[in-house]
Amino acid sequence: MKKIDGGICAVQGVSANGIKEGKTGLVVILAEGPAAGVFTRNKVTAAPVLLTRQRIETENHLSAVIVNSGNANAFTGDDGYLDAMGMASMLAGKLDLDPELVAVASTGVIGRRLDLGLIEKQLPEVLGAMGSSPGCSQAAAKAIMTTDKVPKEAAVELDCGVRIGAIAKGSGMIEPNMGTMLCFVYTDAKVPADVLDAALRKAVEKSFNMVVVDGDTSTNDMVLFTATCKSGIKPCLECLDEFEEGLLYVLTELAKKMAKDGEGATKLVEARVTGAKEYEDARLAAKAIVRSPLVKTAIFGKDPNWGRVVAAAGYSGAELEQDKLSLSFIGGGEEVELVKAGDISGFADLGLLKKIMAAEEIVITLDLGMGEESATAWGCDLTYDYVRINAEYTT
Amino acid sequence: MKKIDGGICAVQGVSANGIKEGKTGLVVILAEGPAAGVFTRNKVTAAPVLLTRQRIETENHLSAVIVNSGNANAFTGDDGYLDAMGMASMLAGKLDLDPELVAVASTGVIGRRLDLGLIEKQLPEVLGAMGSSPGCSQAAAKAIMTTDKVPKEAAVELDCGVRIGAIAKGSGMIEPNMGTMLCFVYTDAKVPADVLDAALRKAVEKSFNMVVVDGDTSTNDMVLFTATCKSGIKPCLECLDEFEEGLLYVLTELAKKMAKDGEGATKLVEARVTGAKEYEDARLAAKAIVRSPLVKTAIFGKDPNWGRVVAAAGYSGAELEQDKLSLSFIGGGEEVELVKAGDISGFADLGLLKKIMAAEEIVITLDLGMGEESATAWGCDLTYDYVRINAEYTT
């Protein structure tokens, strides 16, 4: 498996384009084949999520995705649902596609009607420059951005020749009234929808679902996975493992980019919890550490504040015993062990700790000393800018 | 039932005193009788919690409490446990009490040995001025403060003459490495420990357990409830309801004071969720609203950002349907309905909203429109000062 450029356009059979005018962007991705999706669990569910989830469940197949940024089309009732259908039909009409095979995604302000007129105006320009160059994937990745500071793309080529590429947006619940992480994943492998679905759920669990920026879950989150089958390669059983590895790699890359691009973030925080009795214990502890506002502010303050880390693990619901905990901080290529099997006497070289805490990427490793299971979660620090971004605004 | 002054010293049979020298305080409360306790659920549990929980469980009776602030005696292993026993024995020795009937509580830095020498030095001064005046309750309430900005006391007299009084400290996980909410509750009612225990658990569930400052749970949290029985009044069945109401009132008063005194807080936020099918749904939604960093920053920014409120309720796990939700903001004596049964068309008078959002206490009422159950949670806004307090420090 090797990392490659080109994002979604690295995958055979995918063409894309996107434009952004001020805060409103429009993206179209054409790629026909079996498809699967994972959607927000928020009970306040945006219209495009309701529509696309329903279509994926009935058809297990997609021919295109149309995405707008600037308006989430959420909490907009039946009108909003009709608007989402209208978006899909507009694209289907122009390209003579079956509207049932067109997915819709939106990100932006909650509680405002979509401006279909604007989308109708932007659509010809987007369709006019569709293509399969790396630049087209870039254009799409940029057009779905809201307050993201960087476009997010990743792609790999597996040893068997299969390619997997994706673009994503999101840095937590972004902008006042605004949220959402969107990810569109493509492969040219020849795989049926049920295999895509199983692989996607597994990979999302260990990538996007392990990212915490502020713990808020958006009304619009959506990850779509389509197989163009264009490589003609049907992963054998061994390849299937590599296929899942490749997918996990791509989604994890994007997950880390989201965490690092978290609102106001200055640092990427990775919590690696090992030695858990059950995977669930490791997962709970890792997520509690990257979610804790006290850990996040300590990281921002460059403070090796390990008391907050063990406290977070302690209330996470994970099974643990404090006298079995071992804790290390890693950063800038250095590592310091702060707690060893509950013993804090080795409280460490402060100079080295300072150097570690100054790094842009901080890794916290917590060994529960109770078993073999492990999990990793990603987050960012909590800064003045997070408060500014989310407070200095009036609806 | 009427509110009265005097805190814990309003209750017959309670004498107290406390001193604070810099960041280290010492408090002694003498009150003999049946006792119950509620303790942190954090699996990283401080030594005084382990000791006091054990003593309450075996004896169901207390004669005194000794509390230090400045050091949590948490994550200190067996030495820490012996230090906690030492604190209790020191007090027991001076007053010829059974050490098994002395409770110990601590709040402060995690992971540092307790300075028993300092406590031994401070103890005579504390014992020298024990008393039952309102000033003595105040002194105790002040000496357990850490970064609390105000001492926290509350007391009521029930129609039957029984009194309930309490002091508390806490504003979330306070100070770097520091956390804890402590509350010491007393009544002169003649009630056995099992009644105290049942009443306390019920009241804590609806008061302290409904407060969120930053969602972090301390290693040292402790609420103790002792009945001096000095009034000689044994609550009859009807009085028992009033007794529980009175207790809930006292603890709720203190809970709100904690939320309002939350780190860096400028506003008290109250989330009232009504119309839930089950109480658990109301509880989940109310806590999710006051916990949401996006709601908290919006309140700080005086932004009537209702989209974040419904989104928080949506991911809370509570059973709800978006087209049944009704939402209002209340502040400064004004109320504005933003959503009515899922309909947002009534989007309201912005001038009035601005006035509401400028108030010091913001009430968010969310009606799920699905049943009769309700719950209320309290929190505060998320401000630059919260970040400053928790980041600008080096361990």
Side-chain angles (χ1 to χ4, degrees):
Chain A
M1 175 172 88
K2 68 171 193 287
K3 201 174 166 184
I4 57 175
D5 295 332
I8 54 177
C9 291
V11 175
Q12 294 179 64
V14 178
S15 66
N17 188 30
I19 61 166
K20 190 96 186 270
E21 298 171 322
K23 284 191 168 190
T24 58
L26 186 67
V27 169
V28 171
I29 306 170
L30 298 177
E32 195 267 334
V38 173
F39 304 90
T40 182
R41 298 195 189 108
N42 196 315
K43 291 204 177 71
V44 175
T45 312
V49 174
L50 295 171
L51 180 73
T52 302
R53 186 169 55 198
Q54 185 184 46
R55 289 180 170 180
I56 292 275
E57 279 165 6
T58 41
E59 307 290 340
N60 300 305
H61 200 95
L62 286 177
S63 56
V65 182
I66 179 167
V67 192
N68 74 287
S69 60
N71 186 322
N73 192 13
F75 219 90
T76 45
D78 298 342
D79 298 335
Y81 190 79
L82 294 174
D83 290 341
M85 288 182 77
M87 258 175 89
S89 303
M90 222 185 275
L91 178 64
K94 292 226 183 295
L95 301 181
D96 191 24
L97 304 169
D98 176 353
E100 293 297 313
L101 301 183
V102 175
V104 180
S106 302
T107 175
V109 180
I110 293 175
R112 300 207 191 138
R113 282 293 297 278
L114 207 56
D115 181 353
L116 282 184
L118 175 65
I119 292 169
E120 191 158 22
K121 200 174 87 1
Q122 292 176 320
L123 189 52
E125 186 182 342
V126 174
L127 295 178
M130 297 288 292
S132 298
S133 68
C136 293
S137 177
Q138 269 272 327
K142 281 183 177 159
I144 54 173
M145 285 164 61
T146 50
T147 54
D148 301 55
K149 291 189 294 297
V150 296
K152 300 172 181 69
E153 299 181 285
V156 292
E157 180 172 296
L158 309 183
D159 300 343
C160 63
V162 162
R163 291 178 161 199
I164 303 171
I167 60 171
K169 64 131 318 198
S171 56
M173 285 275 286
I174 304 150
E175 265 198 27
N177 277 332
M178 199 149 176
T180 301
M181 73 136 293
L182 297 177
C183 180
F184 306 102
V185 198
Y186 296 89
T187 180
D188 46 22
K190 197 161 183 302
V191 281
D194 58 339
V195 173
L196 291 177
D197 186 69
L200 183 63
R201 285 173 198 287
K202 242 196 272 182
V204 165
E205 223 19 78
K206 295 193 167 188
S207 54
F208 296 127
N209 286 353
M210 293 305 280
V211 173
V212 178
V213 170
D214 51 22
D216 279 293
T217 309
S218 152
T219 53
N220 289 54
D221 294 342
M222 185 187 300
V223 182
L224 298 180
F225 189 17
T226 306
T228 64
C229 306
K230 286 284 191 291
S231 71
I233 301 168
K234 194 169 175 182
C236 55
L237 270 185
E238 303 80 71
C239 308
L240 197 59
D241 293 344
E242 199 200 1
F243 182 71
E244 294 187 350
E245 268 171 49
L247 179 63
L248 180 58
Y249 176 83
V250 167
L251 298 195
T252 301
E253 279 300 292
L254 294 170
K256 288 162 77 170
K257 286 178 181 178
M258 280 185 199
K260 192 166 186 175
D261 197 18
E263 295 171 296
T266 67
K267 292 171 186 290
L268 173 67
V269 183
E270 179 171 306
R272 295 179 196 156
V273 175
T274 60
K277 200 174 271 178
E278 308 290 343
Y279 169 73
E280 183 63 7
D281 296 315
R283 192 186 68 80
L284 287 171
K287 282 193 83 166
I289 291 166
V290 294
R291 183 184 290 110
S292 164
L294 289 164
V295 172
K296 289 159 65 68
T297 45
I299 299 283
F300 174 52
K302 303 185 174 64
D303 177 16
N305 203 324
W306 62 270
R308 296 177 178 183
V309 175
V310 293
Y315 67 67
S316 68
E319 188 175 345
L320 60 83
E321 294 167 23
Q322 53 186 323
D323 59 2
K324 289 183 178 169
L325 298 178
S326 297
L327 179 73
S328 295
F329 280 12
I330 302 170
E334 303 284 357
E335 171 164 6
V336 164
E337 188 169 51
L338 292 154
V339 179
K340 188 166 193 167
D343 176 15
I344 60 177
S345 53
F347 195 83
D349 180 343
L350 268 176
L352 189 55
L353 265 176
K354 276 203 165 55
K355 186 176 170 195
I356 288 172
M357 299 313 293
E360 260 196 20
E361 302 195 0
I362 307 291
V363 179
I364 298 168
T365 66
L366 180 66
D367 183 349
L368 303 184
M370 299 184 75
E372 298 307 313
E373 295 298 323
S374 63
T376 302
W378 297 273
C380 57
D381 52 348
L382 174 56
T383 70
Y384 296 114
D385 271 0
Y386 177 86
V387 177
R388 183 185 52 73
I389 290 166
N390 289 295
E392 287 185 9
Y393 175 91
T394 304
T395 306
Chain B
M1 173 173 90
K2 69 173 193 286
K3 202 175 166 182
I4 57 174
D5 296 332
I8 53 177
C9 291
V11 175
Q12 293 179 66
V14 177
S15 66
N17 189 32
I19 60 166
K20 191 95 187 272
E21 297 171 323
K23 285 190 167 190
T24 58
L26 187 67
V27 169
V28 172
I29 306 170
L30 298 177
E32 195 267 334
V38 172
F39 305 90
T40 181
R41 299 195 188 108
N42 195 314
K43 290 202 178 73
V44 175
T45 311
V49 173
L50 295 170
L51 180 74
T52 301
R53 184 169 56 197
Q54 185 184 45
R55 288 180 171 180
I56 291 274
E57 279 166 6
T58 41
E59 307 290 340
N60 301 304
H61 200 96
L62 286 177
S63 56
V65 183
I66 179 167
V67 192
N68 73 287
S69 61
N71 185 323
N73 191 13
F75 220 89
T76 44
D78 299 341
D79 298 335
Y81 190 79
L82 293 174
D83 291 341
M85 288 183 76
M87 258 175 90
S89 303
M90 223 185 273
L91 178 64
K94 292 224 183 300
L95 301 180
D96 191 26
L97 304 169
D98 175 354
E100 293 297 313
L101 301 183
V102 176
V104 180
S106 303
T107 175
V109 180
I110 293 175
R112 302 208 191 138
R113 282 293 298 278
L114 206 56
D115 181 353
L116 281 185
L118 175 65
I119 291 170
E120 191 158 23
K121 201 174 94 345
Q122 293 177 319
L123 189 52
E125 184 181 345
V126 174
L127 295 178
M130 298 288 292
S132 299
S133 69
C136 293
S137 177
Q138 270 273 325
K142 281 182 177 159
I144 56 173
M145 285 165 62
T146 50
T147 55
D148 302 55
K149 290 191 294 300
V150 296
K152 300 174 181 68
E153 299 181 286
V156 292
E157 180 172 297
L158 309 183
D159 301 343
C160 63
V162 163
R163 290 178 161 198
I164 303 171
I167 60 171
K169 65 131 316 197
S171 54
M173 286 274 286
I174 304 152
E175 266 200 25
N177 277 333
M178 201 149 176
T180 303
M181 73 135 295
L182 297 177
C183 181
F184 306 101
V185 198
Y186 295 89
T187 180
D188 46 21
K190 197 160 183 301
V191 281
D194 59 338
V195 173
L196 291 176
D197 186 67
L200 184 62
R201 284 173 198 289
K202 242 196 272 181
V204 165
E205 217 27 72
K206 294 192 166 188
S207 55
F208 296 127
N209 285 353
M210 293 305 282
V211 173
V212 179
V213 170
D214 50 24
D216 279 292
T217 309
S218 154
T219 53
N220 289 55
D221 294 341
M222 184 186 301
V223 182
L224 298 179
F225 189 16
T226 307
T228 65
C229 305
K230 285 284 190 292
S231 71
I233 301 167
K234 193 169 175 182
C236 56
L237 270 185
E238 303 79 71
C239 309
L240 197 59
D241 293 344
E242 199 200 2
F243 182 71
E244 293 187 347
E245 268 171 46
L247 178 62
L248 179 58
Y249 176 84
V250 167
L251 299 196
T252 301
E253 279 300 292
L254 294 171
K256 289 162 77 169
K257 286 178 182 179
M258 280 185 199
K260 193 167 187 174
D261 197 17
E263 295 170 297
T266 68
K267 292 172 186 290
L268 173 66
V269 183
E270 179 171 309
R272 294 181 198 153
V273 175
T274 60
K277 201 173 267 178
E278 308 291 341
Y279 169 74
E280 183 63 7
D281 296 316
R283 191 186 68 80
L284 287 170
K287 283 192 83 167
I289 291 166
V290 294
R291 183 185 291 111
S292 164
L294 290 164
V295 172
K296 289 158 66 68
T297 45
I299 299 282
F300 173 53
K302 303 187 176 62
D303 176 17
N305 204 324
W306 63 269
R308 296 177 178 182
V309 175
V310 294
Y315 67 67
S316 68
E319 189 176 345
L320 60 82
E321 295 167 23
Q322 53 186 323
D323 59 1
K324 290 184 178 169
L325 299 178
S326 298
L327 179 73
S328 296
F329 281 9
I330 302 171
E334 303 285 357
E335 170 164 7
V336 164
E337 187 169 50
L338 292 155
V339 180
K340 188 165 193 169
D343 176 15
I344 61 177
S345 52
F347 194 84
D349 179 344
L350 267 177
L352 189 55
L353 265 175
K354 274 202 169 53
K355 186 176 169 197
I356 288 173
M357 299 313 292
E360 261 195 18
E361 302 196 359
I362 307 290
V363 179
I364 298 168
T365 67
L366 180 67
D367 183 349
L368 304 184
M370 300 185 75
E372 297 307 314
E373 294 298 322
S374 63
T376 302
W378 297 273
C380 58
D381 52 348
L382 174 55
T383 70
Y384 296 113
D385 271 0
Y386 176 86
V387 177
R388 183 185 52 72
I389 291 166
N390 289 295
E392 287 185 9
Y393 175 91
T394 303
T395 305

